[in-house]
Short mmCIF file of all heavy atoms in Angstrom, two decimals:
data_model
loop_
_atom_site.label_atom_id
_atom_site.label_comp_id
_atom_site.label_asym_id
_atom_site.label_seq_id
_atom_site.Cartn_x
_atom_site.Cartn_y
_atom_site.Cartn_z
N GLU A 254 58.94 2.03 -57.16
CA GLU A 254 58.75 2.68 -58.44
C GLU A 254 58.48 4.15 -58.11
O GLU A 254 57.67 4.43 -57.23
CB GLU A 254 57.49 2.06 -59.06
CG GLU A 254 57.38 2.20 -60.53
CD GLU A 254 56.04 1.63 -60.97
OE1 GLU A 254 55.73 0.48 -60.59
OE2 GLU A 254 55.30 2.35 -61.64
N PRO A 255 59.16 5.10 -58.77
CA PRO A 255 58.89 6.50 -58.41
C PRO A 255 57.43 6.86 -58.69
O PRO A 255 56.81 6.31 -59.60
CB PRO A 255 59.83 7.30 -59.32
CG PRO A 255 60.57 6.34 -60.15
CD PRO A 255 60.15 4.95 -59.82
N GLY A 256 56.90 7.76 -57.88
CA GLY A 256 55.52 8.19 -58.06
C GLY A 256 55.39 9.13 -59.26
O GLY A 256 56.37 9.42 -59.94
N ASP A 257 54.18 9.57 -59.50
CA ASP A 257 53.92 10.44 -60.64
C ASP A 257 53.90 11.91 -60.20
O ASP A 257 53.66 12.21 -59.04
CB ASP A 257 52.55 10.11 -61.26
CG ASP A 257 52.42 8.63 -61.56
OD1 ASP A 257 53.45 8.02 -61.90
OD2 ASP A 257 51.30 8.10 -61.43
N ILE A 258 54.14 12.77 -61.17
CA ILE A 258 53.86 14.18 -60.94
C ILE A 258 52.55 14.46 -61.66
O ILE A 258 52.38 14.12 -62.83
CB ILE A 258 54.99 15.09 -61.48
CG1 ILE A 258 56.24 14.92 -60.61
CG2 ILE A 258 54.55 16.55 -61.51
CD1 ILE A 258 57.37 15.85 -60.96
N VAL A 259 51.63 15.03 -60.93
CA VAL A 259 50.31 15.28 -61.50
C VAL A 259 50.01 16.78 -61.41
O VAL A 259 50.12 17.37 -60.35
CB VAL A 259 49.23 14.48 -60.73
CG1 VAL A 259 47.85 14.76 -61.31
CG2 VAL A 259 49.51 12.99 -60.79
N PHE A 260 49.69 17.35 -62.55
CA PHE A 260 49.26 18.75 -62.55
C PHE A 260 47.74 18.78 -62.58
O PHE A 260 47.11 18.11 -63.41
CB PHE A 260 49.83 19.49 -63.76
CG PHE A 260 51.33 19.63 -63.70
CD1 PHE A 260 52.14 18.79 -64.44
CD2 PHE A 260 51.92 20.56 -62.86
CE1 PHE A 260 53.52 18.90 -64.38
CE2 PHE A 260 53.30 20.68 -62.78
CZ PHE A 260 54.10 19.84 -63.53
N VAL A 261 47.19 19.55 -61.67
CA VAL A 261 45.73 19.65 -61.61
C VAL A 261 45.33 21.03 -62.13
O VAL A 261 45.71 22.06 -61.58
CB VAL A 261 45.21 19.45 -60.17
CG1 VAL A 261 43.69 19.47 -60.14
CG2 VAL A 261 45.73 18.13 -59.60
N VAL A 262 44.58 21.00 -63.22
CA VAL A 262 44.17 22.25 -63.87
C VAL A 262 43.25 23.06 -62.97
O VAL A 262 42.28 22.54 -62.42
CB VAL A 262 43.46 21.95 -65.21
CG1 VAL A 262 42.85 23.22 -65.81
CG2 VAL A 262 44.41 21.30 -66.20
N GLN A 263 43.63 24.31 -62.77
CA GLN A 263 42.76 25.23 -62.04
C GLN A 263 42.41 26.39 -62.96
O GLN A 263 43.28 27.19 -63.30
CB GLN A 263 43.46 25.75 -60.77
CG GLN A 263 43.51 24.71 -59.68
CD GLN A 263 44.02 25.28 -58.37
OE1 GLN A 263 44.47 26.42 -58.31
NE2 GLN A 263 43.95 24.49 -57.33
N GLU A 264 41.15 26.43 -63.34
CA GLU A 264 40.73 27.47 -64.27
C GLU A 264 40.69 28.82 -63.58
O GLU A 264 40.07 28.98 -62.53
CB GLU A 264 39.33 27.10 -64.80
CG GLU A 264 38.83 27.99 -65.90
CD GLU A 264 37.40 27.64 -66.29
OE1 GLU A 264 37.19 26.54 -66.84
OE2 GLU A 264 36.50 28.45 -66.02
N LYS A 265 41.37 29.78 -64.19
CA LYS A 265 41.37 31.14 -63.60
C LYS A 265 40.04 31.82 -63.93
O LYS A 265 39.44 31.56 -64.97
CB LYS A 265 42.51 31.96 -64.21
CG LYS A 265 43.89 31.62 -63.69
CD LYS A 265 44.87 32.72 -64.11
CE LYS A 265 46.18 32.13 -64.57
NZ LYS A 265 47.02 33.11 -65.27
N ASP A 266 39.64 32.72 -63.06
CA ASP A 266 38.44 33.51 -63.33
C ASP A 266 38.68 34.41 -64.54
O ASP A 266 39.79 34.89 -64.75
CB ASP A 266 38.09 34.38 -62.12
CG ASP A 266 37.45 33.56 -61.02
OD1 ASP A 266 36.97 32.45 -61.33
OD2 ASP A 266 37.44 34.02 -59.87
N HIS A 267 37.62 34.61 -65.31
CA HIS A 267 37.73 35.46 -66.49
C HIS A 267 36.90 36.72 -66.28
O HIS A 267 35.87 36.67 -65.61
CB HIS A 267 37.24 34.68 -67.72
CG HIS A 267 37.57 35.35 -69.01
ND1 HIS A 267 36.72 36.23 -69.63
CD2 HIS A 267 38.68 35.29 -69.79
CE1 HIS A 267 37.29 36.66 -70.75
NE2 HIS A 267 38.48 36.11 -70.87
N GLY A 268 37.38 37.80 -66.84
CA GLY A 268 36.69 39.07 -66.65
C GLY A 268 35.32 39.13 -67.29
O GLY A 268 34.42 39.83 -66.80
N LEU A 269 35.11 38.42 -68.38
CA LEU A 269 33.84 38.51 -69.09
C LEU A 269 33.03 37.22 -69.03
O LEU A 269 31.83 37.26 -68.81
CB LEU A 269 34.13 38.87 -70.56
CG LEU A 269 32.93 38.94 -71.51
CD1 LEU A 269 31.96 40.04 -71.06
CD2 LEU A 269 33.38 39.20 -72.94
N PHE A 270 33.70 36.08 -69.18
CA PHE A 270 32.97 34.82 -69.31
C PHE A 270 33.00 33.99 -68.03
O PHE A 270 34.02 33.92 -67.35
CB PHE A 270 33.57 33.97 -70.44
CG PHE A 270 33.54 34.63 -71.78
CD1 PHE A 270 34.72 34.94 -72.45
CD2 PHE A 270 32.33 34.95 -72.40
CE1 PHE A 270 34.70 35.55 -73.70
CE2 PHE A 270 32.30 35.55 -73.65
CZ PHE A 270 33.50 35.86 -74.30
N LYS A 271 31.86 33.35 -67.79
CA LYS A 271 31.82 32.28 -66.80
C LYS A 271 31.61 31.00 -67.59
O LYS A 271 30.98 31.01 -68.64
CB LYS A 271 30.65 32.49 -65.83
CG LYS A 271 30.86 33.63 -64.88
CD LYS A 271 30.26 33.31 -63.53
CE LYS A 271 30.40 34.44 -62.53
NZ LYS A 271 31.71 35.13 -62.58
N ARG A 272 32.15 29.88 -67.07
CA ARG A 272 32.08 28.64 -67.83
C ARG A 272 31.34 27.57 -67.05
O ARG A 272 31.49 27.45 -65.83
CB ARG A 272 33.49 28.14 -68.12
CG ARG A 272 33.52 26.81 -68.81
CD ARG A 272 34.93 26.30 -68.88
NE ARG A 272 35.01 25.11 -69.70
CZ ARG A 272 36.13 24.43 -69.89
NH1 ARG A 272 37.24 24.83 -69.33
NH2 ARG A 272 36.13 23.34 -70.64
N LYS A 273 30.51 26.81 -67.76
CA LYS A 273 29.89 25.62 -67.17
C LYS A 273 29.89 24.57 -68.27
O LYS A 273 29.24 24.74 -69.29
CB LYS A 273 28.47 25.94 -66.71
CG LYS A 273 27.85 24.82 -65.90
CD LYS A 273 26.53 25.28 -65.30
CE LYS A 273 25.91 24.20 -64.46
NZ LYS A 273 24.60 24.60 -63.93
#
Side-chain angles (χ1 to χ4, degrees):
E254 202 184 308
D257 308 326
I258 290 186
V259 179
F260 293 101
V261 183
V262 172
Q263 285 188 352
E264 187 185 293
K265 285 194 222 167
D266 284 342
H267 192 268
L269 177 62
F270 300 116
K271 288 216 182 320
R272 176 188 188 182
K273 189 172 182 182

